[in-house]
Amino acid sequence: VIYPPHSKLTDKEKTNICYLSFPDSNSGCLGDTQFCFRFRRSPGRKVSLRCFLDQLDRDLPVYLKKDSAYYYGYVYFRQVRDKSLKRGYFQKSLVLISKLPYVHLFRTMLKQIAPEYFEKSEAFLEAVCSDVDRWPPPVPGKVLQLPIMGVIMKLRIPTYRDKPGTTPIVQNMHQADAQISMALPTVHEVDLFRCFCPVFFHIQMLWELVLLGEPLVVMAPSPAESSETVLALVSCISPLKYCSDFRPYFTIHDSEFKEYTTRTQAPPSVILGVTNPFFAKTLQHWPHIIRIGDIKLPGEVPKQVKVKKLKNLKTLDSKPGVYTSYKPYLNKDEEIVKQLQKGVQQKRPTEAQSVILRRYFLELTESFIIPLERYVASLMPLQKCISPWKSPPQLRQFSQDDFMKTLEKAGPQLTSGLKGDWIGLYRHFLKSPNFDGWFRSRQKEMTQKLEALHLEALCNENLVFWSQKHTEVETVDLVLKLKNKLLQADREHLPVKTDTLKKLQTHINDIILALPDDLQDILLKTGT
């Protein structure tokens, strides 16, 4: 069943969704299980709502921007014994498909609706859809109230202006009416500490592997554990965006199975979450494998665990741990391990442990990225180089050697006490998809800034006076160029003040009005 009924999915998408919506038979998930998956959209599909969501996308932090090539599937699966059924079990999944990576929001929503849906069937979904139709647009930075079957979820989607690592609290206001409301502390975060608990001693090495876009497999007993762990890994380099593909739950039926498990080429830069024992064999040539047992919160901290050799990983029932021959570039930070161990001994709540861990990852990532930010900012031409009568100047080229030279005086040592081979880590990072994605988005921002400064420089000129001293042909050429500038500012959402655009429009109108009537008619008619 698909709701709303007019939703279009290709056959390939339907097949992928069907296989990904159920745990592998060996997982033996009795009762209710929630997990999430991510799959490729079929190419050539029309995208609806593009302009509307793009506008909202601009205000999101980079790691929450939607990737139009992928969908997320959020699953609530129920398996209970039922003698009246032929198979002896009731097995059903309710799946919510979205382009938005708001794991916690959709998980909470499914928790509200799935149990009732299993008892009331299809008519209930219609009621759910009519609730969702009343939701306001997902505007970042606003406190949103989303009604869902008698409950109001209150939440705030982060914006790129939020200080990284802070989460403005959504207060649970007293409802005057009878509706129950629940405030969501986050829309997208997973319980970091719970996910990293089984591989507690290797968090810093895992951070390096994710940062460098290395191929990683998470082998877990169920999709709930595999999907949470993959999402935790992807989020550990925030506020950097993880730019490669990642699959919180991946099965042998996946349309990319052959592409990702082939031995004819090196494993791709992806993070896969798997539960099928078959993968222990198919993926044993992968360089980094994380084996996770059942995620239980420890009464005591796991004993110090060595990184295991890959050749020891033969089956899926190999012991939990990290199997790799990777040598980390940075020395181990003993401080964070002690801090979290102390938290376990003092029975500190897992939410508090997650906050400590998240702050640790954030500070590590920021120490790493600040020198790059500083160097890239220096590639921007000076404002005095911007002339209204010339094209905007180009950004200077990124030079790896020049960047490395800046590290001696302005490297990560300014903000991080960690010793180790930072230079080696940077060299490796500069070859990774994460650097490529980060640098491209910086380049785009800076080029747009130059275009905006160029527009402002044009606005501050007396363009009418200029046109009086030039031929009609040159003036018409200027008018067309200025009109194109306005269109570009609108199309690319350039960071220009509205006043500047109005001023430029006034300039255009004034120049046109100073021209002969026949030219005026033509120029006023041409929108572009």
Side-chain angles (χ1 to χ4, degrees):
V1 177
I2 294 184
Y3 262 87
H6 59 264
S7 311
K8 297 274 185 290
L9 289 167
T10 64
D11 288 344
K12 189 177 176 183
E13 286 168 344
K14 281 183 191 166
T15 309
N16 270 338
I17 292 168
C18 288
Y19 279 120
L20 288 164
S21 298
F22 289 95
D24 278 313
S25 53
N26 66 294
S27 296
C29 300
L30 264 180
D32 291 3
T33 309
Q34 280 190 269
F35 60 94
C36 128
F37 60 82
R38 185 172 178 260
F39 65 102
R40 262 187 216 165
R41 282 185 57 225
S42 295
R45 291 193 44 176
K46 281 201 170 58
V47 182
S48 58
L49 282 175
R50 174 180 275 156
C51 46
F52 169 64
L53 281 175
D54 281 356
Q55 226 169 336
L56 300 176
D57 225 39
R58 285 207 319 268
D59 292 332
L60 286 169
V62 41
Y63 53 88
L64 281 185
K65 288 185 190 296
K66 65 180 185 344
D67 183 337
S68 49
Y70 291 91
Y71 278 128
Y72 283 85
Y74 300 99
V75 183
Y76 193 108
F77 167 70
R78 173 170 287 183
Q79 173 165 278
V80 285
R81 288 182 192 281
D82 186 338
K83 295 227 171 67
S84 66
L85 296 172
K86 197 168 141 198
R87 302 182 65 168
Y89 282 97
F90 169 93
Q91 291 170 314
K92 211 169 209 180
S93 277
L94 181 60
V95 187
L96 193 146
I97 304 289
S98 173
K99 290 198 187 78
L100 305 172
Y102 301 156
V103 193
H104 188 71
L105 163 63
F106 293 125
R107 193 192 163 90
T108 310
M109 175 184 167
L110 281 170
K111 230 184 205 145
Q112 286 300 317
I113 60 175
E116 234 177 304
Y117 160 68
F118 292 137
E119 273 141 39
K120 295 187 179 163
S121 79
E122 270 94 83
F124 181 72
L125 285 186
E126 213 163 311
V128 169
C129 284
S130 70
D131 264 353
V132 176
D133 282 341
R134 291 169 30 220
W135 289 8
V139 178
K142 273 174 76 171
V143 172
L144 305 175
Q145 303 203 12
L146 313 182
I148 191 78
M149 303 318 284
V151 174
I152 294 197
M153 297 187 291
K154 289 189 180 165
L155 54 105
R156 179 186 176 276
I157 297 167
T159 82
Y160 72 91
R161 293 181 205 85
D162 294 353
K163 187 170 173 283
T166 57
T167 315
I169 300 294
V170 178
Q171 293 300 338
N172 217 341
M173 277 91 70
H174 184 66
Q175 291 294 95
D177 55 16
Q179 287 206 302
I180 310 158
S181 75
M182 54 198 299
L184 273 57
T186 170
V187 286
H188 65 287
E189 287 169 356
V190 292
D191 186 340
L192 263 198
F193 182 66
R194 227 186 96 235
C195 298
F196 281 121
C197 218
V199 284
F200 185 77
F201 288 99
H202 312 302
I203 49 175
Q204 196 178 317
M205 177 175 74
L206 294 175
W207 173 83
E208 281 189 25
L209 292 173
V210 175
L211 180 77
L212 300 172
E214 285 286 311
L216 261 171
V217 190
V218 174
M219 296 186 174
S222 81
E225 270 114 11
S226 85
S227 62
E228 293 259 298
T229 308
V230 170
L231 293 169
L233 286 166
V234 168
S235 75
C236 79
I237 59 166
S238 160
L240 265 183
K241 182 183 170 75
Y242 179 77
C243 296
S244 299
D245 188 9
F246 59 95
R247 303 299 177 90
Y249 174 49
F250 189 73
T251 74
I252 55 176
H253 305 287
D254 202 287
S255 49
E256 277 79 60
F257 175 74
K258 275 201 176 68
E259 177 190 335
Y260 283 169
T261 55
T262 171
R263 284 173 181 249
T264 53
Q265 58 212 54
S269 167
V270 299
I271 302 180
L272 297 182
V274 302
T275 62
N276 192 323
F278 181 68
F279 279 109
K281 204 165 168 201
T282 338
L283 298 177
Q284 63 187 12
H285 63 295
W286 275 47
H288 321 288
I289 294 171
I290 302 171
R291 270 287 294 116
I292 281 183
D294 289 317
I295 296 187
K296 296 192 217 30
L297 274 174
E300 77 271 11
V301 181
K303 298 281 174 280
Q304 174 73 42
V305 195
K306 279 206 176 77
V307 173
K308 298 179 167 61
K309 299 275 184 294
L310 274 165
K311 61 177 191 310
N312 299 344
L313 183 80
K314 286 289 175 283
T315 62
L316 202 61
D317 24 274
S318 304
K319 290 199 167 59
V322 179
Y323 292 78
T324 177
S325 52
Y326 175 80
K327 295 276 175 288
Y329 287 96
L330 303 182
N331 301 350
K332 195 161 187 173
D333 187 341
E334 300 295 348
E335 217 25 64
I336 182 72
V337 175
K338 280 186 200 143
Q339 207 181 348
L340 292 171
Q341 277 179 319
K342 193 173 163 195
V344 173
Q345 284 148 8
Q346 295 173 347
K347 309 227 178 322
R348 192 186 288 145
T350 161
E351 296 81 20
Q353 295 276 71
S354 285
V355 169
I356 293 169
L357 194 48
R358 194 166 275 116
R359 192 183 310 125
Y360 162 75
F361 281 136
L362 175 71
E363 284 168 5
L364 195 51
T365 306
E366 285 188 329
S367 294
F368 180 79
I369 212 73
I370 287 168
L372 273 163
E373 296 272 11
R374 202 180 285 123
Y375 170 70
V376 167
S378 74
L379 304 178
M380 185 88 165
L382 296 171
Q383 197 148 352
K384 64 180 184 201
C385 306
I386 296 170
S387 151
W389 308 112
K390 290 187 190 144
S391 292
Q394 297 286 307
L395 295 174
R396 293 210 315 282
Q397 287 286 316
F398 185 102
S399 148
Q400 183 169 328
D401 295 339
D402 290 351
F403 166 62
M404 292 298 180
K405 281 177 199 147
T406 66
L407 293 176
E408 202 178 328
K409 286 201 176 70
Q413 70 277 11
L414 296 181
T415 50
S416 170
L418 266 188
K419 300 276 184 283
D421 182 9
W422 285 94
I423 303 277
L425 186 62
Y426 280 114
R427 281 195 205 285
H428 194 153
F429 177 71
L430 294 181
K431 298 191 195 92
S432 76
N434 288 333
F435 168 71
D436 190 50
W438 172 82
F439 183 59
R440 259 196 258 214
S441 87
R442 279 290 171 274
Q443 239 175 345
K444 186 179 166 191
E445 274 170 33
M446 288 158 72
T447 310
Q448 289 188 336
K449 180 80 181 135
L450 285 172
E451 289 286 355
L453 289 169
H454 186 240
L455 259 180
E456 276 164 28
L458 273 168
C459 273
N460 296 331
E461 289 290 313
N462 186 341
L463 298 177
V464 179
F465 179 68
W466 180 93
S467 66
Q468 285 159 357
K469 296 170 70 175
H470 288 76
T471 64
E472 276 178 14
V473 172
E474 288 171 308
T475 305
V476 168
D477 188 47
L478 176 71
V479 168
L480 294 175
K481 275 190 176 141
L482 292 175
K483 283 190 166 192
N484 268 334
K485 280 269 179 206
L486 277 179
L487 280 170
Q488 181 195 8
D490 182 53
R491 185 178 62 243
E492 294 177 16
H493 308 298
L494 294 183
V496 191
K497 296 187 190 81
T498 326
D499 294 355
T500 308
L501 298 177
K502 282 184 185 154
K503 202 167 159 190
L504 196 59
Q505 188 60 62
T506 313
H507 279 325
I508 295 173
N509 295 343
D510 293 346
I511 298 170
I512 293 176
L513 291 173
L515 288 168
D517 291 356
D518 55 341
L519 274 176
Q520 278 190 41
D521 284 352
I522 294 168
L523 288 171
L524 288 167
K525 271 181 199 145
T526 49
T528 60

